[in-house]
Amino acid sequence: MKSFGYTLKQSFVQFGRNLNMSLISIFAITCMMLILSLFFILVINVSTAAETIKGDYDSIEIFLDDKTTPEQADDMITDLKAQDGVDDAYYKSKEQAMAEFRDRWGENGYLLDSLEDNPLPNSVVIVIGDLEKADALAAHAEKFDGIEDVKYYKSTVDKLLEATRFVQIGALVIMIFLIIISIVVVSNTIKLTVFNRAEEISIMKYVGATNWFIRGPFLGEGIIIGIISAAISVGLTYFVYGKLVDMLGEQVYQMLSMPMVPVNFLIVNFAWIFLALGVSIGSCGSIISMRRFLDA
Amino acid sequence: MIVFDHVSKYYKSNVGLDDVSVRINEGDFVFLVGPSGSGKSTFIKLLIHEINADKGSIKIRGHEVTNMSARHVPILRRRVGIVFQDFRLLPKKTVYENVAFAMEIIHKPKKLIKKNVPQVLTMMGIADKADKYPDELSAGEQQRVAIARAIINRPRVLIADEPTGNLDPDTAWEIMQLLNQINQRGTTIIMVTHAKDIVDKMGKRVIAIEKGRIVRDEFGAYGYQEALENAEMTFDTIQIQRRDTSRIRFRRGGDEK
Ligand SMILES: Nc1ncnc2c1ncn2[C@@H]1O[C@H](COP(=O)(O)OP(=O)(O)O)[C@@H](O)[C@H]1O
Ligand SMILES: [Mg+2]
């Protein structure tokens, strides 16, 4: 670490001397990172959505006939609470249901004001403790008198989670692929410098410089390339995704009753991830590119 | 003390060194002579572990050099100064930076570097060239920079592979004076050369190698005829490159005596 200042200075000198190739690398890696960030945004939004939906639907809703009395509902609740795998069961009046609905629609809730009377039924909600028992509970609920319908979303949730997992794994594979390409790009850029400086490197070794001492500035050059690419990518992502949320956020919310992940929350995580990624891509690239020149 | 103990080095189809045993004492000045391809550079490359011996042992001041781990090579190189025929200066660094580099790699404080580098440059007679780049210097000046770099960390051993090979006779002689001066301050010097006049004039220990074997080891003169012819050929080529024809005639005349 004594020579950190020296290495840092040399890194910038080297970056400058190799400016054209450095800029080309930065361009290429920034492109990779932007594609990466696209996938990140997709994965984060899908995962968040999946979590929300799962939370919403870990329950069975029994819609009651309008003729069913609250006493009958109470009997059902008592019966259900005695069943295996039930965490809780409670009554939800049509007024409560409407209020929730309004809540979910948020600013657009005024649209519901135009309804003459409340079309929503009263219901009994079962909060499921043990998902294994969900199917049996749904079947049990079907047998009650005075019910209109039993809504249980397990298969929907399952499908959704499966789709989410597919998106996550697919994105991960593509991201790893992109990261490897980035490393190759950096390593080729630096190999060019190293190649031009093979003579210099051999002289340094004659004078007694250690491999790490020689590697330092090249490592620095790679890391500088990585950090600049990360900074540009994070900046662009912040700008573009911010605009996207501004433009589409409301529509997405109306269509899916799900908010997009806010840009400020996203960008903080992004900044760290991309910084780490840039540093790793840069250092891996430079170490790989020097291997051949430093052995022996 | 440098000790070669039954050292052999074989290349694929050639013999580099063949069972060489020799001792060089601290503070000695030794010339290594012999025809081209006789194994002189091999001797030196083994000494700085640029290549590894196939047989035998090489010790510098008690430290085994053969089979040395890669980690220790830089340490060896710092203890042994090296000067080459082609100078091997870092082209993008100034004279000052080239010499300072040898101190930077061993993390010497900037203050000490600022103090020592000008001192050595003065000693080498190139203090006024500190801010020049290698390609702005004459061959002799470049070799002075290379020597400055080789001795800045006060190595106990200085190795020179044909250090005057690219220099005209006057400049070569100036470089020899510098090496002699360095030797008189206690540094062991091993110098490969083809320059008969220099070896004769210096009157130091001369080790002659032929086909990878030491064929003569005595104080005094170059005195090796086959090598001599080789040397003159090399000399002629260089002289013609330098378009210094008057000197060629002079040299040839001298040899015919
Ligand atoms: N890297 C190598 N590969 C194969 N043969 C080599 C190599 N280096 C040197 N030699 C051979 O080893 C012998 C000694 O070479 P060298 O030590 O360079 O001689 P000198 O320096 O005395 O001219 C020569 O026959 C040369 O051709
Ligand atoms: Mg040679």
Side-chain angles (χ1 to χ4, degrees):
Chain A
M1 276 299 115
K2 262 193 233 163
S3 62
F4 184 74
Y6 172 87
T7 303
L8 195 68
K9 195 177 138 218
Q10 290 299 316
S11 302
F12 277 100
V13 168
Q14 213 148 292
F15 177 83
R17 267 189 203 142
N18 201 19
L19 195 60
N20 282 342
M21 277 313 288
S22 301
L23 292 181
I24 291 170
S25 292
I26 288 174
F27 178 76
I29 292 162
T30 303
C31 289
M32 301 291 170
M33 283 185 165
L34 287 176
I35 302 173
L36 270 182
S37 84
L38 208 69
F39 280 100
F40 265 127
I41 288 172
L42 186 72
V43 166
I44 289 177
N45 274 295
V46 168
S47 306
T48 313
E51 280 305 311
T52 316
I53 292 168
K54 206 168 83 180
D56 268 6
Y57 294 115
D58 272 0
S59 58
I60 296 172
E61 207 164 359
I62 307 166
F63 296 114
L64 303 177
D65 242 325
D66 272 353
K67 278 165 261 164
T68 309
T69 61
E71 289 73 34
Q72 273 176 295
D74 278 343
D75 288 344
M76 286 183 204
I77 290 171
T78 317
D79 177 286
L80 286 167
K81 279 189 173 168
Q83 300 290 327
D84 247 6
V86 175
D87 255 10
D88 194 16
Y90 59 88
Y91 182 74
K92 185 156 84 182
S93 69
K94 52 169 62 189
E95 289 75 26
Q96 279 171 313
M98 178 53 81
E100 272 181 27
F101 211 67
R102 203 181 278 276
D103 241 15
R104 186 174 275 186
W105 278 29
E107 284 173 14
N108 298 308
Y110 67 91
L111 293 170
L112 297 170
D113 294 344
S114 55
L115 292 171
E116 298 228 324
D117 39 40
N118 187 347
L120 299 172
N122 297 312
S123 62
V124 168
V125 178
I126 311 170
V127 180
I128 303 165
D130 181 1
L131 280 172
E132 303 273 299
K133 300 265 161 44
D135 285 325
L137 282 170
H140 180 78
E142 299 267 9
K143 290 183 202 130
F144 287 127
D145 284 332
I147 64 169
E148 213 164 54
D149 197 6
V150 175
K151 276 255 148 48
Y152 170 49
Y153 301 95
K154 180 169 186 290
S155 60
T156 321
V157 172
D158 278 352
K159 265 185 208 139
L160 186 86
L161 290 182
E162 207 174 299
T164 311
R165 213 165 300 132
F166 181 76
V167 171
Q168 285 169 336
I169 291 173
L172 193 72
V173 170
I174 294 171
M175 288 193 286
I176 289 173
F177 183 68
L178 289 173
I179 290 170
I180 292 172
I181 291 181
S182 303
I183 291 175
V184 171
V185 169
V186 181
S187 109
N188 276 328
T189 309
I190 292 182
K191 203 177 277 176
L192 222 88
T193 338
V194 178
F195 198 75
N196 287 331
R197 300 190 55 205
E199 174 77 16
E200 240 175 304
I201 290 172
S202 89
I203 295 171
M204 289 178 181
K205 291 184 79 171
Y206 275 122
V207 182
T210 59
N211 281 353
W212 276 109
F213 190 89
I214 296 171
R215 218 179 257 138
F218 290 95
L219 202 62
E221 185 186 1
I223 291 173
I224 292 169
I225 289 174
I227 290 178
I228 292 178
S229 308
I232 296 174
S233 306
V234 171
L236 276 176
T237 302
Y238 181 75
F239 181 75
V240 173
Y241 185 70
K243 278 263 181 288
L244 212 67
V245 172
D246 279 354
M247 271 162 40
L248 298 178
E250 251 172 71
Q251 276 142 296
V252 168
Y253 194 75
Q254 274 171 27
M255 281 185 325
L256 307 172
S257 56
M258 204 89 64
M260 286 173 82
V261 175
V263 68
N264 287 322
F265 168 80
L266 187 100
I267 215 70
V268 174
N269 292 311
F270 258 48
W272 286 114
I273 294 172
F274 276 60
L275 190 69
L277 207 61
V279 170
S280 332
I281 288 174
S283 40
C284 287
S286 69
I287 286 177
I288 290 171
S289 69
M290 300 201 71
R291 237 176 7 193
R292 195 157 60 84
F293 293 90
L294 286 180
D295 51 38
Chain B
M1 190 158 64
I2 295 166
V3 182
F4 274 58
D5 189 13
H6 297 286
V7 175
S8 295
K9 172 70 193 178
Y10 308 108
Y11 297 106
K12 260 173 225 129
S13 55
N14 300 316
V15 175
L17 277 188
D18 183 18
D19 196 32
V20 165
S21 294
V22 69
R23 277 162 180 272
I24 296 166
N25 290 320
E26 297 258 4
D28 269 7
F29 195 129
V30 177
F31 285 113
L32 212 54
V33 304
S36 271
S38 58
K40 307 181 296 296
S41 292
T42 301
F43 186 97
I44 289 205
K45 285 174 185 168
L46 286 168
L47 208 47
I48 60 173
H49 202 274
E50 189 179 333
I51 53 177
N52 195 28
D54 297 315
K55 278 189 208 154
S57 131
I58 301 170
K59 285 205 174 95
I60 300 182
R61 310 187 88 228
H63 296 285
E64 183 62 60
V65 173
T66 32
N67 300 321
M68 180 178 250
S69 76
R71 214 157 45 79
H72 288 114
V73 174
I75 300 165
L76 168 71
R77 302 263 172 98
R78 293 165 192 178
R79 293 198 175 134
V80 178
I82 314 166
V83 176
F84 297 96
Q85 178 173 4
D86 55 358
F87 322 130
R88 303 200 189 172
L89 300 174
L90 296 165
K92 286 172 191 153
K93 287 186 190 286
T94 63
V95 166
Y96 179 93
E97 289 164 348
N98 260 283
V99 179
F101 183 75
M103 292 184 81
E104 280 160 357
I105 60 172
I106 49 174
H107 313 302
K108 283 276 154 61
K110 230 186 174 123
K111 240 166 118 185
L112 193 67
I113 296 178
K114 278 194 176 138
K115 181 170 153 277
N116 288 7
V117 174
Q119 270 177 12
V120 171
L121 291 181
T122 304
M123 186 180 153
M124 293 295 119
I126 43 171
D128 56 327
K129 305 283 192 262
D131 295 327
K132 295 244 188 289
Y133 285 87
D135 61 7
E136 300 173 308
L137 302 180
S138 73
E141 287 163 347
Q142 287 185 59
Q143 196 58 298
R144 287 163 190 261
V145 179
I147 295 171
R149 182 180 64 186
I151 64 166
I152 184 91
N153 291 324
R154 303 173 196 282
R156 305 300 287 261
V157 181
L158 180 65
I159 293 172
D161 195 347
E162 302 194 42
T164 61
N166 279 353
L167 308 177
D168 65 70
D170 291 345
T171 311
W173 189 242
E174 284 165 22
I175 293 294
M176 288 317 297
Q177 310 270 274
L178 286 174
L179 292 179
N180 206 16
Q181 214 178 308
I182 292 162
N183 174 243
Q184 269 156 19
R185 295 183 347 168
T187 308
T188 309
I189 295 190
I190 301 173
M191 172 169 159
V192 172
T193 189
H194 281 125
K196 176 188 188 304
D197 56 338
I198 285 175
V199 176
D200 289 347
K201 220 161 170 179
M202 296 281 289
K204 303 286 188 186
R205 180 176 170 190
V206 180
I207 299 175
I209 302 185
E210 191 186 351
K211 295 191 179 110
R213 288 180 156 269
I214 293 181
V215 292
R216 195 163 47 79
D217 184 351
E218 60 193 23
F219 278 81
Y222 191 84
Y224 189 61
Q225 208 48 43
E226 196 182 331
L228 190 66
E229 281 155 22
N230 265 310
E232 288 313 312
M233 273 175 60
T234 322
F235 227 96
D236 285 355
T237 322
I238 291 158
Q239 294 297 326
I240 288 160
Q241 275 170 355
R242 290 180 177 282
R243 297 199 179 86
D244 197 352
T245 43
S246 63
R247 280 220 170 87
I248 294 176
R249 264 179 238 118
F250 172 75
R251 297 240 101 261
R252 286 209 176 126
D255 285 330
E256 278 159 15
K257 272 194 230 169

